Amino acid sequence: MTTTGGSERSPSVALRTEALEQLLTERGLIDPKAMDAIITRYETSVGPLNGAKVVARAWTDPDYRRRLLEDGTASIKELGFSGQQGEHIVVVENTPTTHNVVVCTLCSCYPWPVLGLPPSWYKDPAYRARVVREPRTVLAEMGLTLDDDVQIIVRDSTSEVRWLVLPERPPGTERLTEEELVPLITRDAMVGVAKVATP
Amino acid sequence: MDGIADMGGTHGWGPVHPPQRDEPVFAEDWQRKAFALAILSGRAANGGINTDAFRHALERLDRAHYIDDGYFGRWLNAGELMLTERAVLAPGAVEARARNLRGEHVPEPPVTEPVRPHYAPTAEGSLRSLDAAPAFGVGQRVRARDVSVPGHTRLPGYVRGHTGVVEIIQPAHVLPDTNAHFLGENPQYVYSVWFDSYELWGAGAEPFTVTVDMYESYLEATA
């Protein structure tokens, strides 16, 4: 850092953000409209509701479920969800005996088109470091205690392949429609750190 | 490279943070702009989107710029690093402007002439088609190469030298190791490889499996 007189305290990251925006805008290197479009897309248009719609369809349409597990990307695109960080999505199914949980140990890769931007716990070094070493302990700390006979499969997103978990449909929801199921399905269940609870 | 970003299996991070209900996408106002600026900075620095170059910028940040500024802070810092390396910004330009924004009066460095890489992706995104057949088959035992490279790689330290089994052959993708340095796309098949927890962490480990998605050149056949 340069010391140019005045306060020795480095400017906050918020101020540096404002500074970078000014510098790039002044020189015509960024378009404020493009900036707004990116923010709007990831703050309001794209989020875990997309993934919940995919899961609810899979729970209520056996043919869709089969196709989703065979070709995640194409089946997800059928519902209108695609784009950056979702070029190739693989969907894996959680069952009473197998539990998948997703991480990116190298950065925080995450299937944006179906889940939006990752939550803070997913980006946390403790999660990134530990879930590939002691997943059962980590899941318990996060509130999910699995039986000893459940096989855990950790999916480390080290390439451009993105992983989406198809959670188990909870008991007691047999009579619910696809639309009624959607609000039950949480982001955390689609990453594999929670189960979908019976309403 | 072996840097702070390669966190898998490392110790000392404390407990995980359980999920919060209704967590906002951006907890603080500046994070919105930092996120968008990081994406647009990549284009301004490199003349196109190169996610691998961006990740390489992230992994070269020092601990303070990687950890202490948080996720969106490190995105901003990586954007600034790429812009400075390409002379789109002069060193210290952001700091000087930020100081002036808070009322100091410091000289700002003169505008520099950008030196951008020659970057011509053959298609959008990272998926590519290959004529050659995959070198490894589903069910085959493979070993992750035990190599440490100074440049960018997506071969995590915790699997290097360890043996696993190919679970899924994924489509071919641009190779991050060369693309991050603008040295070509070199597309390769990606393999989702199963590793047993005892193989990775020893006999005292919890029983589980990890799959790691690895480019073909990260792997070698084993008996």
Side-chain angles (χ1 to χ4, degrees):
Chain A
M1 293 293 149
T2 48
T3 49
T4 41
S7 169
E8 291 301 309
R9 186 170 50 84
S10 286
S12 68
V13 66
L15 264 184
R16 286 190 284 117
T17 302
E18 200 179 328
L20 182 60
E21 182 188 9
Q22 279 191 3
L23 289 167
L24 294 178
T25 308
E26 282 168 11
R27 294 170 58 185
L29 290 169
I30 57 166
D31 175 0
K33 281 189 194 136
M35 217 167 121
D36 290 343
I38 292 171
I39 295 168
T40 303
R41 173 172 167 83
Y42 290 103
E43 191 157 46
T44 57
S45 312
V46 177
L49 178 60
N50 293 357
K53 288 176 179 170
V54 171
V55 170
R57 174 68 56 88
W59 282 352
T60 53
D61 179 343
D63 184 57
Y64 183 78
R65 178 180 160 281
R66 182 183 55 74
R67 284 185 285 125
L68 182 69
L69 293 171
E70 274 173 14
D71 185 346
T73 319
S75 310
I76 287 166
K77 198 170 184 180
E78 275 178 43
L79 301 194
F81 312 130
S82 62
Q84 210 178 348
Q85 293 300 308
E87 273 189 278
H88 187 74
I89 302 177
V90 178
V91 181
V92 284
E93 186 177 28
N94 280 354
T95 70
T97 55
T98 302
H99 187 91
N100 291 274
V101 55
V102 181
V103 66
C104 169
T105 59
L106 295 174
C107 38
S108 298
C109 294
Y110 195 71
W112 290 4
V114 276
L115 296 182
L117 297 185
S120 54
W121 59 261
Y122 186 87
K123 301 176 285 194
D124 184 30
Y127 181 77
R128 287 169 52 187
R130 293 180 55 210
V131 79
V132 294
R133 190 167 191 131
E134 44 176 358
R136 194 171 290 274
T137 305
V138 166
L139 291 174
E141 280 177 33
M142 297 182 88
L144 177 63
T145 303
L146 296 172
D147 291 341
D148 286 345
D149 57 355
V150 174
Q151 186 200 9
I152 296 176
I153 307 171
V154 183
R155 303 292 184 173
D156 191 355
S157 314
T158 51
S159 77
E160 294 302 329
V161 175
R162 295 290 170 269
W163 298 87
L164 180 73
V165 172
L166 174 59
E168 282 178 78
R169 183 170 177 169
T173 59
E174 294 77 10
R175 290 172 183 276
L176 297 185
T177 63
E178 185 178 334
E179 289 70 27
E180 290 167 333
L181 288 165
V182 167
L184 307 182
I185 300 157
T186 62
R187 170 191 68 206
D188 301 337
M190 292 183 279
V191 186
V193 299
K195 293 192 179 203
V196 176
T198 302
Chain B
M1 59 178 281
D2 304 331
I4 193 168
D6 187 3
M7 289 181 170
T10 58
H11 289 294
W13 300 107
V16 294
H17 298 92
Q20 303 292 312
R21 274 203 167 275
D22 303 321
E23 177 188 306
V25 176
F26 301 106
E28 294 177 38
D29 206 34
W30 64 269
Q31 295 176 344
R32 290 179 178 79
K33 286 187 172 177
F35 170 69
L37 280 169
I39 291 175
L40 296 172
S41 291
R43 291 181 205 169
N46 300 321
I49 297 174
N50 185 329
T51 307
D52 301 310
F54 178 65
R55 293 204 185 105
H56 188 47
L58 279 169
E59 68 189 356
R60 286 182 293 136
L61 297 173
D62 62 29
R63 188 184 172 92
H65 288 88
Y66 191 92
I67 299 285
D68 300 350
D69 290 336
Y71 179 76
F72 293 111
R74 86 176 64 117
W75 274 51
L76 182 83
N77 296 334
E80 183 185 346
L81 177 60
M82 288 193 296
L83 289 164
T84 309
E85 287 178 334
R86 298 302 174 193
V88 177
L89 294 178
V94 172
E95 162 115 7
R97 177 62 60 92
R99 286 180 179 275
N100 289 332
L101 280 170
R102 72 176 180 195
E104 296 179 38
H105 298 281
V106 301
E108 298 197 13
V111 172
T112 45
E113 189 61 40
V115 184
R116 293 192 177 89
H118 175 70
Y119 183 46
T122 61
E124 276 188 36
S126 60
L127 281 173
R128 298 290 182 270
S129 53
L130 278 184
D131 292 332
F136 306 106
V138 171
Q140 185 172 349
R141 283 168 61 78
V142 287
R143 184 187 294 116
R145 288 183 189 277
D146 192 6
V147 289
S148 172
V149 295
H152 184 59
T153 188
R154 298 288 289 178
L155 172 59
Y158 75 93
V159 297
R160 293 179 195 168
H162 288 289
T163 298
V165 176
V166 174
E167 180 201 15
I168 306 171
I169 303 173
Q170 308 285 6
H173 287 78
V174 170
L175 180 68
D177 305 47
T178 51
N179 193 50
H181 301 279
F182 301 90
L183 294 173
E185 295 189 341
N186 296 308
Q188 296 185 359
Y189 291 104
V190 170
Y191 300 81
S192 298
V193 177
W194 292 81
F195 290 94
D196 190 284
S197 59
Y198 302 127
E199 162 73 12
L200 295 177
W201 310 116
E206 292 179 6
F208 66 97
T209 306
V210 187
T211 67
V212 179
D213 299 330
M214 288 189 286
Y215 296 83
E216 194 164 277
S217 58
Y218 297 178
L219 298 171
E220 54 196 3
T222 185

